[in-house]
Amino acid sequence: MSNHSVQVSDSATNKSVSLPVLSGTIGPATIDIGKLHKETGLFTYDPGFMSTASCRSAITYIDGDAGVLMYRGYPIEQLAKHSNFLEVAYLLMNGDLPSAQQFSTFEHEVTHHTMMHEALKSFLGGFRHDAHPMAMLCGMIGSLAAFYHDSLDIDDAEQRRLAAVRLIAKVPTIAAACYRYSIGWPNRYPRNNLDYCTRFLHMMFEVPSEPLVLPPVAAKALDLLFILHADHEQNASTSTVRLVGSTGANPYACVAAGIAALWGPAHGGANEAVLQMLNEIGTADQVGKAVEKAKDKNSGFRLMGFGHRVYKNFDPRATIIREMCHQVLNELGVHDPLLDVAMKLEEAALKDPYFIERKLYPNVDFYSGIIYKALKIPTEMFTVMFAIARTAGWVAHWLEQNVTPDAKIGRPRQLYTGSPARDYVDIAKR
Ligand code: CMC
């Protein structure tokens, strides 16, 4: 829908163009620059996509200034309180909350796709025992395309849906297998009588020699974390999934690319980096020094788990998870000195003018790492945990992209800063 336009004119060439301004359901109006280059010869320059909407999407809405996050119109606070991760995955994929019957069918289907092909075990066995689980996960998920040929035809709606269900079902199984391989434990098959999160915890921690007894808060906290991490509109990894998807690549390749993008410390790797940072700070009395270091641009040190590209007031996910963080630590009776460091850091940064002026608040990953630590999830698995949850968002975006009528291959242009044309010089004359 277009209700007004903006005029762009280039004084150097006297060319001008009227560009329509599009309105979404809510959120900022968006200039459609599609014909800018054709009419004026100009490109736009927007590193980091600070002002660029890369696509239309009806999945997730964020208002960074107001601290609002909604999946399919439902506020994250309501979903966190009343829903569960699998229902949220259904919502993201399908657009509406499921009826009881639809949920039961979906849950049954996901549950019955959780096993991984036995041959994948040999693939896993090719990794060094000390490989980072994100490296293994990325490779293993990419390899699924070699195993599930019946879900590679992206023009077939049922095959697309099957691939999405498979990914949601198998990523936790593969993630747990990667972990067990790294510590030399035998693989554990998924148990169908357990819910999604409890099943994952069993695959992670159950040993053949004795039953696993889990405190109820463990699966509850995991489910909450998965809900909060399930989607975040066009973040770096989702945009990567979409860019790869725009080429017509298969869904497993797209999600493997998303996993690679998530790995970086500025994105999903932040929860692992938070724990490393808290360990490095060591004790609460060292927090002041760390804050000063983070303010010194020459130090190259940033407070991990602080700041967000979109949330410039507070991260609504951080508010929800902060509460759960305390509940987990209380119920498990964990007293972790790192939590003292974290709380002191939060307090110090929130009242420091440097952080206030730049609107740098604790983000979701500040607290998720502490919860994962309390649940005995090893630090190098933190980003893998994020990947399990975000798979729901990645497949939802990939499904949406594949039914977008004006879909095009993603192919940005550039502002060239290299040498002008020059002639080749023979090697003897250089
Ligand atoms: N510690 C210290 N200073 C910071 C931090 C930080 N964590 N984050 C931003 N700044 C400063 C930055 O130096 C800059 O200062 P100045 O204006 O004086 O040059 C200003 O704040 C703006 O920073 P920016 O890098 O331009 O902001 P951005 O929107 O490009 O970056 C960010 C967002 C998340 C990459 C960044 O805040 C950061 O590196 N945070 C730490 C890593 C982190 O926690 N990432 C997880 C994000 S949430 C999970 C997810 O969605 O993936």
Side-chain angles (χ1 to χ4, degrees), residues 55-56 242 397-408:
C55 61
R56 292 169 193 258
R242 278 186 177 264
H397 282 270
W398 179 80
L399 288 170
E400 182 182 65
Q401 166 180 51
N402 275 285
V403 291
T404 304
D406 58 350
K408 281 192 162 53

Side-chain angles (χ1 to χ4, degrees), residues 33 344 384:
I33 60 167
K344 187 84 190 291
V384 171

Side-chain angles (χ1 to χ4, degrees), residues 283-342:
T283 49
D285 61 332
Q286 296 299 309
V287 161
K289 252 198 231 165
V291 170
E292 288 313 308
K293 195 173 163 195
K295 286 154 58 175
D296 174 7
K297 294 275 190 294
N298 298 322
S299 71
F301 171 73
R302 282 187 169 199
L303 289 188
M304 288 293 122
F306 280 78
H308 199 276
R309 168 58 60 82
V310 180
Y311 297 120
K312 297 300 180 195
N313 262 323
F314 68 96
D315 179 342
R317 303 168 301 171
T319 313
I320 298 167
I321 212 149
R322 185 178 195 273
E323 215 175 283
M324 177 54 92
C325 184
H326 286 279
Q327 195 186 329
V328 167
L329 294 165
N330 282 340
E331 284 191 33
L332 297 183
V334 176
H335 179 75
D336 193 333
L338 286 193
L339 187 69
D340 297 338
V341 178

Side-chain angles (χ1 to χ4, degrees), residues 351-367:
K351 61 180 188 215
D352 190 297
Y354 173 96
F355 291 89
I356 297 170
E357 279 157 23
R358 288 168 181 76
K359 301 190 171 179
L360 300 170
Y361 298 84
N363 59 48
V364 65
D365 286 328
F366 185 67
Y367 300 104

Side-chain angles (χ1 to χ4, degrees), residues 53-245:
S54 63
C55 61
R56 292 169 193 258
S57 180
I59 300 174
T60 289
Y61 175 76
I62 301 174
D63 181 337
D65 292 326
V68 168
L69 168 62
M70 299 191 291
Y71 298 159
R72 300 285 190 182
Y74 295 102
I76 194 67
E77 292 79 5
Q78 291 182 25
L79 293 170
K81 194 162 174 203
H82 304 294
S83 189
N84 61 65
F85 173 67
L86 220 46
E87 186 179 66
V88 163
Y90 181 99
L91 172 70
L92 291 169
M93 275 174 64
N94 297 288
D96 287 306
L97 287 167
S99 65
Q101 180 58 50
Q102 285 167 328
F103 180 71
S104 153
T105 307
F106 182 65
E107 188 176 36
H108 183 271
E109 201 181 9
V110 169
T111 303
H112 289 83
H113 274 291
T114 47
M115 289 223 293
M116 66 179 199
H117 196 290
E118 281 293 293
L120 272 164
K121 279 194 203 160
S122 342
F123 188 50
L124 189 64
F127 286 105
R128 275 174 60 119
H129 73 281
D130 56 355
H132 195 287
M134 281 297 276
M136 291 193 258
L137 186 71
C138 193
M140 296 278 284
I141 298 301
S143 81
L144 292 182
F147 289 87
Y148 299 104
H149 298 290
D150 60 347
S151 52
L152 299 182
D153 180 358
I154 63 165
D155 295 323
D156 179 325
E158 181 45 29
Q159 292 202 27
R160 290 197 300 268
R161 201 193 64 80
L162 179 60
V165 168
R166 274 214 180 103
L167 279 157
I168 291 171
K170 291 187 199 304
V171 169
T173 311
I174 293 171
C178 292
Y179 168 61
R180 295 179 80 96
Y181 176 75
S182 73
I183 54 166
W185 281 9
N187 191 35
R188 206 85 198 119
Y189 290 110
R191 282 175 36 187
N192 288 2
N193 61 331
L194 302 174
D195 64 74
Y196 191 86
C197 289
T198 312
R199 180 166 55 233
F200 172 71
L201 290 168
H202 274 256
M203 287 191 288
M204 282 285 289
F205 298 121
E206 197 171 40
V207 288
S209 40
E210 61 185 37
L212 175 73
V213 182
L214 284 173
V217 75
K220 199 174 147 202
L222 197 58
D223 195 63
L224 178 66
L225 280 162
F226 283 1
I227 291 174
L228 300 181
H229 275 132
D231 194 38
H232 217 222
E233 51 117 304
Q234 310 310 321
N235 58 86
S237 56
T238 303
S239 297
T240 303
V241 169
R242 278 186 177 264
L243 189 61
V244 178

